Amino acid sequence: MNMYKKWWIILGVMFILGVIVYIFWFAIPKNTAIKAVDDYLAEQKITSNQIDTRVIKKDWKMGGYLTKIVFKDDPNLKYEYVYDERYEYPHHIYVVAFKEGSSQDDNQMKHPPLQKQLEDRDKKK
């Protein structure tokens, strides 16, 4: 077998393995996080036309995915929907809102977390 042919086969196999790793470590978990946030928003009775901006990114420090949302009816707050499979909250999501860098209490949000999250968080205190 030609030496160059071996290298092309090795490179091809490495490329295919790289694609498979990307799909299983990044694409599928990101898609799962997006679906979980969508389900959570639906349970909060929030529609997509209420959302001004929405950005999702991998949370490299804590794990999981972080979705930052700014609502049209609450533009001063930046809501963070943190998805992590280790959370026992509804849809594995923890919600917190920030105004000028400081977190807000639930009663200061127009779109507070689901009641189950509030109950679970109160139990842990």
Side-chain angles (χ1 to χ4, degrees), residues 14-118:
M14 289 177 64
F15 176 75
I16 291 171
L17 288 175
V19 169
I20 291 171
V21 166
Y22 173 78
I23 289 171
F24 282 102
W25 278 357
F26 297 106
I28 291 174
K30 184 176 182 178
N31 189 35
T32 304
I34 290 170
K35 178 155 178 27
V37 170
D38 289 343
D39 293 343
Y40 195 97
L41 290 171
E43 211 169 314
Q44 283 184 301
K45 296 178 178 52
I46 297 171
T47 60
S48 60
N49 61 355
Q50 292 176 278
I51 297 173
D52 188 27
T53 61
R54 178 178 179 163
V55 177
I56 184 168
K57 64 180 184 175
K58 176 85 171 131
D59 187 356
W60 292 102
K61 289 183 182 179
M62 300 298 292
Y65 282 85
L66 177 66
T67 303
K68 294 182 180 184
I69 297 178
V70 176
F71 294 103
K72 291 178 183 175
D73 62 346
D74 197 7
N76 296 328
L77 293 182
K78 293 179 181 171
Y79 290 78
E80 291 187 358
Y81 291 77
V82 182
Y83 172 81
D84 193 331
E85 290 181 349
R86 297 174 290 185
Y87 292 156
E88 294 182 14
Y89 298 122
H91 306 286
H92 305 286
I93 291 183
Y94 182 80
V95 179
V96 65
F98 293 94
K99 181 177 183 178
E100 297 173 2
S102 64
S103 64
Q104 302 296 298
D105 291 332
D106 300 326
N107 59 2
Q108 296 171 319
M109 299 181 201
K110 287 188 181 178
H111 306 286
L114 295 175
Q115 189 63 34
K116 180 150 177 31
Q117 177 183 333
L118 299 174

